[in-house]
């Protein structure tokens, strides 16, 4: 089965349960303040499923108010997106820009870099939460606050696929091996990318800045889907999106790297994940490099060492050895 941990507030004395749960949420998402009408006997449960860089945690929590404040953000920001699929219960969320009311079948989206407040109603709330590093989601830099909805439906389309994946995965993890965790994490990340892209697609009547952010999301998704192609280039990307190469470069002026550098960084990240995958331990390193679009093994080795400070062969050996020594 997948690597999994179970936490129950009842495992500690009643007087310590609310503070214990605040510590749990700090570990699974980010530091936050908690208050509850049940603070004298707070009964909550949580399972944490290890999917590599991604984690999923089904939980049932009684009435609670959770606040992530600007001060807490300054103290600690793990740079995560949090998605909560609401299975049972209702409540409300408040951000600087707006408020939403959530109910079963809703997907509530949070950002560890933004202040927010979530209030649960009297009945316990059951959710399946997912924590995804921002680096894995190709959202336009700085655009998440304005672009990503805070609440989305899962009753149809891609939202329904995501909800079914979370429910099936959390219902029974016994068919999977621990080594399946990172692969399932990739599936989950791809579903979230697709959901966000679908939500942001719009017509030309929207403001130019919104269209630019949406176009960037499509471009980055295209790059992720074509990392295996050694011919992927700014010219290919521009042609696929019916824009000029010069305009593509202007779009990337708002990003952390040029177009070519961004492609190389994504290829290196994907190759690094492959090197740590036990299921690929017998695959030659040059084959893994080619799988991610590096046609020259020497170029890959040099780029990998420059990025991570060690040759890919040594990185793989250390990662797989460390994985063997980890219980579970």
């Amino acid at each position: 089965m997948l690597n999994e941990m179970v936490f129950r507030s009842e495992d500690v004395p009643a007087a310590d349960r609310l503070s214990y749960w605040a510590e749990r949420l700090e570990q699974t998402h980010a530091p936050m303040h908690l208050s509850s009408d049940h603070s004298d006997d707070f009964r909550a449960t949580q399972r944490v499923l290890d999917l590599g860089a991604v984690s999923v945690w089904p939980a049932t929590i009684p009435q609670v108010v959770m606040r992530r404040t600007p001060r807490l953000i300054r103290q600690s920001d793990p740079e995560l997106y949090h998605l909560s699929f609401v299975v049972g219960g209702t409540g409300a969320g408040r951000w600087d820009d707006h408020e939403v009311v959530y109910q079963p079948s809703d997907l509530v989206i949070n950002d560890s870099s933004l202040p927010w407040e979530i209030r649960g109603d009297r009945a316990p709330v059951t959710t399946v939460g997912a924590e995804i590093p921002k680096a894995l989601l190709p959202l336009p830099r700085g655009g998440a606050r304005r672009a990503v909805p805070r609440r989305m439906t899962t009753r149809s389309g891609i939202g329904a696929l995501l909800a079914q994946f979370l429910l099936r995965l959390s219902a029974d993890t016994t068919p999977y091996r621990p080594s399946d965790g990172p692969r399932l994490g990739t599936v989950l990340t791809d579903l979230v990318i697709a959901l966000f892209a679908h939500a942001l697609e719009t017509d030309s009547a929207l403001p130019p800045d919104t269209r630019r952010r949406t176009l960037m999301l499509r471009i980055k998704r295209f790059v992720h889907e074509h990392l295996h192609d050694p011919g992927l280039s700014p010219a290919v990307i521009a042609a696929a999106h019916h824009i000029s190469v010069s305009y593509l470069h202007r779009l990337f002026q708002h990003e952390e790297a040029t177009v070519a550098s961004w492609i190389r960084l994504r290829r290196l990240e994907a190759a690094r994940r492959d090197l740590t995958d036990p299921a690929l331990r017998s695959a030659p390193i040059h084959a893994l490099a080619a799988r991610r679009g590096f046609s020259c093994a020497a170029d890959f080795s040099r780029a990998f060492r420059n990025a991570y400070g060690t040759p890919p062969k040594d990185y793989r050996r250390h990662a797989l050895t460390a994985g063997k020594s980890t219980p579970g």
Side-chain angles (χ1 to χ4, degrees):
M1 62 184 295
L2 293 176
N3 289 330
E4 177 180 333
M5 294 182 290
V6 180
F7 301 92
R8 302 178 181 85
S9 62
E10 294 173 76
D11 291 339
V12 302
D16 299 331
R17 290 175 183 171
L18 189 62
S19 59
Y20 169 74
W21 211 251
E23 293 174 2
R24 285 298 325 136
L25 295 182
E26 178 176 349
Q27 293 296 318
T28 47
H29 178 60
M32 63 188 74
H33 295 306
L34 264 64
S35 60
S36 174
D37 295 340
H38 306 280
S39 57
D40 57 338
D41 188 17
F42 192 79
R43 296 174 181 264
T45 61
Q46 179 194 61
R47 296 162 52 219
V48 179
L49 313 182
D50 179 9
L51 305 185
V54 176
S55 65
V56 168
W57 50 280
T60 299
I61 304 176
Q63 187 280 329
V64 69
V65 179
M66 299 178 285
R67 296 185 181 90
R68 179 116 169 104
T69 66
R71 182 177 180 180
L72 289 175
I73 293 169
R74 289 192 298 271
Q75 291 175 353
S76 174
D77 184 5
E79 294 282 332
L80 294 169
Y81 286 115
H82 170 76
L83 293 83
S84 285
F85 172 57
V86 183
V87 179
T90 58
R94 179 166 61 86
W95 293 264
D96 288 341
D97 47 357
H98 64 287
E99 297 186 14
V100 300
V101 174
Y102 62 82
Q103 56 190 356
S105 297
D106 283 344
L107 186 72
V108 182
I109 300 168
N110 250 329
D111 181 337
S112 66
S113 303
L114 300 179
W116 49 262
E117 177 181 286
I118 301 291
R119 293 177 171 269
D121 287 340
R122 286 191 172 187
V125 174
T126 298
T127 66
V128 181
E131 303 291 339
I132 304 179
K134 291 182 181 180
L136 299 183
L137 296 179
L139 285 171
R141 191 177 183 186
R145 178 193 293 269
R146 298 178 299 276
V148 178
R150 296 297 168 208
R151 179 176 63 86
M152 302 175 71
T153 182
T154 63
R155 296 185 183 277
S156 62
I158 300 172
L161 289 176
L162 175 59
Q164 291 166 15
F165 178 87
L166 290 172
L167 284 175
R168 290 289 298 271
L169 179 66
S170 59
D172 183 10
T173 64
T174 56
Y176 311 106
R177 298 185 178 94
S179 59
D180 290 325
R183 289 187 283 271
L184 292 168
T186 298
V187 173
L188 173 58
T189 301
D190 287 345
L191 281 172
V192 174
I193 290 173
L195 180 67
F196 283 5
H198 178 80
L200 298 180
E201 284 178 350
T202 184
D203 59 35
S204 59
L206 288 177
D209 189 52
T210 302
R211 294 202 306 271
R212 183 187 65 80
R213 293 195 302 270
T214 303
L215 178 58
M216 280 301 296
L217 182 58
R218 292 173 182 166
I219 289 170
K220 290 185 174 181
R221 181 176 61 174
F222 179 85
V223 170
H224 275 272
E225 292 172 350
H226 293 82
L227 288 178
H228 64 281
D229 182 2
L232 183 66
S233 67
V236 170
I237 296 169
H241 294 85
H242 309 289
I243 59 176
S244 67
V245 174
S246 60
Y247 182 59
L248 176 65
H249 286 303
R250 288 202 300 275
L251 288 173
F252 269 79
Q253 289 176 355
H254 301 278
E255 302 299 312
E256 74 274 17
T258 64
V259 182
S261 296
W262 199 87
I263 293 171
R264 174 162 287 209
L265 288 171
R266 301 292 83 79
R267 281 176 166 158
L268 286 170
E269 288 174 359
R272 181 176 63 84
R273 290 195 298 272
D274 290 345
L275 289 170
T276 62
D277 188 342
L280 300 174
R281 68 169 61 246
S282 61
I285 290 178
H286 68 83
L288 297 182
R291 182 186 188 201
R292 299 305 181 179
F294 289 96
S295 55
C296 175
D299 286 347
F300 168 68
S301 182
R302 182 165 51 252
F304 191 93
R305 183 166 188 162
N306 289 338
Y308 300 110
T310 186
K313 180 178 180 181
D314 294 345
Y315 189 94
R316 173 192 242 179
R317 182 174 60 250
H318 175 76
L320 295 180
T321 301
K324 279 185 177 180
S325 62
T326 301

